[in-house]
Amino acid sequence: TNPEGHFEALWKRGDLDAHENAIREMTKHVIDIVDNSPGQRFYAKAISCLRKLRTFCDAARNDEPDLFNDSFDELRDKYQSRSDIAFWTFLLKEAVERIKTSDLEEEPAPPKPAAPAPVAASVDDDDLLDEAD
């Protein structure tokens, strides 16, 4: 099977629904690869699939980065605490990580500087004496 080619074919359909479906399918492929791997033999293939998924999701600017992060979290939840499957450790060594979605959000506009305080009109001594009368 060629999960990466299948993923690209689904992705090229272009709309968010197709992308969501492609992300779900690729995540499922990664899980199947890891779960059926004798030891770490197929982990590199799973990492290759994840990198492709991350690259496509990171380039998209809708909900795709969040959907990738959801998939990443699903993998973490499934494999992080498993002592019989070392995939999570392998993934971390390969430096695959979540997409930083804070980079995708627009920066809030900086606050406008406060208007300068009005300058008081100069008052001379004669004016002060006139006011005192």
Side-chain angles (χ1 to χ4, degrees):
T1 65
N2 180 5
E4 293 176 71
H6 180 70
F7 168 77
E8 284 187 44
L10 288 173
W11 192 271
K12 286 180 182 177
R13 293 185 184 162
D15 61 2
L16 183 58
D17 289 338
H19 291 178
E20 285 182 42
N21 188 36
I23 293 165
R24 274 193 307 273
E25 288 292 317
M26 184 64 100
T27 303
K28 182 180 168 199
H29 283 300
V30 169
I31 290 169
D32 288 344
I33 291 168
V34 172
D35 287 350
N36 294 306
S37 178
Q40 296 182 12
R41 185 172 175 192
F42 300 135
Y43 286 5
K45 180 64 175 172
I47 294 296
S48 177
C49 290
L50 273 176
R51 282 194 172 127
K52 178 164 292 266
L53 176 60
R54 189 185 192 288
T55 298
F56 276 67
C57 289
D58 195 26
R61 293 295 185 220
N62 293 312
D63 291 335
E64 291 89 340
D66 289 327
L67 294 170
F68 173 84
N69 288 342
D70 292 344
S71 292
F72 188 88
D73 293 345
E74 178 184 347
L75 295 170
R76 182 197 60 222
D77 293 346
K78 183 169 179 60
Y79 297 115
Q80 186 175 29
S81 63
R82 300 246 340 236
S83 60
D84 60 326
I85 297 179
F87 179 69
W88 189 253
T89 303
F90 190 88
L91 182 140
L92 294 177
K93 285 180 184 175
E94 293 294 317
V96 178
E97 56 189 31
R98 299 177 90 227
I99 296 171
K100 293 176 177 69
T101 55
S102 61
D103 294 343
L104 304 175
E105 297 169 0
E106 288 187 26
E107 297 278 332
K112 292 182 181 179
V119 177
S122 62
V123 179
D124 64 10
D125 290 340
D126 290 334
D127 290 336
L128 290 174
L129 290 175
D130 290 342
E131 287 179 15
D133 289 334

